[in-house]
Amino acid sequence: MSKTVKDLTAGTVGGIGQVLVGQPFDIVKVRMQTAPKGTYTGMMDCAGGILKNEGPLAFYKGTLTPLLGIGVCVSIQFGALEYAKRIFAGQNLATGQGGDGGRTLTGQQLFVSGVFAGLANGAVSGPVEHIRIRLQTQSNINPLYSGPWDAIKKIYGQRGISGIYKGQAVTLLREATGYGVYFLTYEKLVQWEMAKKGIKRDQISPVNAVLYGATAGYALWAVIYPIDMIKSRMQTDGFTPATGQKYKSTLDCVRTVWRTEGIGAFTRGLGPTLIRSPFANGATFLGFEMAMRVLDRT
């Protein structure tokens, strides 16, 4: 099995773990981000309302799209990341840097690798998250879409490919910035433990993989949360004034939210995100690392 196939397969395992663990928290986050100011008094009020009015299965509303899509997204992330790391390792080896095989990358090399992974992922994550958010925020009474495929068909039929990729510019900004920091944080923690204990990567404790993934997740959200909120607003906005369009562009969205709702709107829904992050990101890296160990033996 080639290195690329192993990277993509292990990334898919990590992505599935991320969705199954993180989806209930994500729907609460999205509802709080996109609801009018004052709709919910807090995270528990939002979660309680979903449970009372829509039932427990509502926390997994729209899960099919991310289960398939995020699995692909995380697969692309890790595939692109590991490819970029190999390129940099080759450069290091040629110049006598980076230790054994040139694989100990600098912080700048890791950040650039993460940015590359984020941009590669963004081509898929934009439409996947757009469809997921549409399903998560629609009413249970007379829903506009019966499921992900119905949403794709209707949006594409009415708005074309640009409709599917609504909010893509801010998505790419989020992915590039966030994943640069995300993978830099994780990989530096892995390097630190390997150097401190004199061990190889596959000897790192699974518990530490979870802890480092959780730390990387917090670093990610510390950087991108306001950007993510704008992305959610853009992807739930109407397509035309006749269908409830509020924002003319990403910049107009930022200005309008700032003017009408204040700075607090940019962190609304942060609570469930911070609770979700260590579990979802810990599961992602645990799934990837454990899958790679199995695949490397085959």
Side-chain angles (χ1 to χ4, degrees):
M1 186 182 292
S2 72
K3 290 181 181 293
T4 300
V5 172
K6 288 180 180 179
D7 296 338
L8 295 173
T9 303
T12 301
V13 174
I16 291 171
Q18 181 184 116
V19 172
L20 293 178
V21 172
Q23 181 73 357
F25 298 101
D26 190 70
I27 192 170
V28 174
K29 179 203 75 169
V30 170
R31 293 285 182 94
M32 292 184 71
Q33 282 181 331
T34 58
K37 186 177 182 180
T39 302
Y40 305 112
T41 59
M43 177 184 68
M44 295 308 296
D45 179 48
C46 179
I50 293 171
L51 182 63
K52 178 181 177 182
N53 299 321
E54 303 173 50
L57 292 181
F59 289 101
Y60 280 92
K61 184 184 289 186
T63 297
L64 178 61
T65 306
L67 194 58
L68 298 175
I70 300 300
V72 173
C73 287
V74 178
S75 174
I76 292 170
Q77 282 173 27
F78 280 101
L81 175 79
E82 296 299 322
Y83 174 79
K85 284 168 60 181
R86 285 194 289 273
I87 296 294
F88 282 125
Q91 293 177 358
N92 289 345
L93 190 60
T95 57
Q97 299 175 330
D100 182 34
R103 287 189 290 270
T104 303
L105 305 190
T106 66
Q108 182 178 359
Q109 289 173 331
L110 290 170
F111 180 77
V112 171
S113 298
V115 169
F116 176 66
L119 291 174
N121 165 63
V124 178
S125 69
V128 166
E129 294 200 11
H130 179 206
I131 298 303
R132 175 175 65 172
I133 286 174
R134 292 283 175 187
L135 293 171
Q136 286 178 333
T137 55
Q138 71 176 352
S139 171
N140 259 19
I141 303 170
N142 298 321
L144 182 60
Y145 310 113
S146 61
W149 307 121
D150 183 53
I152 292 169
K153 183 170 66 175
K154 286 179 178 176
I155 292 171
Y156 182 78
Q158 295 167 3
R159 309 304 305 173
I161 195 68
S162 64
I164 297 293
Y165 276 88
K166 185 174 176 61
Q168 186 65 10
V170 70
T171 297
L172 291 175
L173 174 62
R174 185 194 73 162
E175 304 293 68
T177 307
Y179 286 107
V181 172
Y182 186 62
F183 287 117
L184 167 63
T185 303
Y186 182 79
E187 293 292 334
K188 276 298 180 183
L189 288 169
V190 168
Q191 284 183 5
W192 171 78
E193 180 170 351
M194 290 168 61
K196 180 182 178 183
K197 298 181 179 178
I199 60 175
K200 295 180 179 180
R201 189 179 184 115
D202 62 6
Q203 294 175 299
I204 291 175
S205 163
V207 173
N208 284 347
V210 172
L211 291 175
Y212 298 158
T215 304
Y218 277 130
L220 168 83
W221 286 110
V223 172
I224 70 165
Y225 194 82
I227 304 173
D228 184 70
M229 187 281 296
I230 294 298
K231 182 192 76 72
S232 293
R233 292 292 183 100
M234 292 296 296
Q235 291 185 329
T236 54
D237 196 25
F239 291 98
T240 65
T243 57
Q245 185 181 33
K246 300 176 184 175
Y247 314 114
K248 299 175 183 178
S249 65
T250 300
L251 186 57
D252 180 56
C253 180
V254 174
R255 288 171 174 166
T256 301
V257 172
W258 181 278
R259 185 180 66 252
T260 59
E261 301 178 51
I263 194 170
F266 291 89
T267 57
R268 191 182 301 155
L270 184 59
T273 301
L274 294 179
I275 295 173
R276 169 191 180 273
S277 181
F279 299 106
N281 291 293
T284 301
F285 282 103
L286 177 64
F288 175 78
E289 296 287 357
M290 295 301 102
M292 282 299 291
R293 292 180 192 186
V294 171
L295 294 170
D296 282 340
R297 297 192 190 104
T298 61

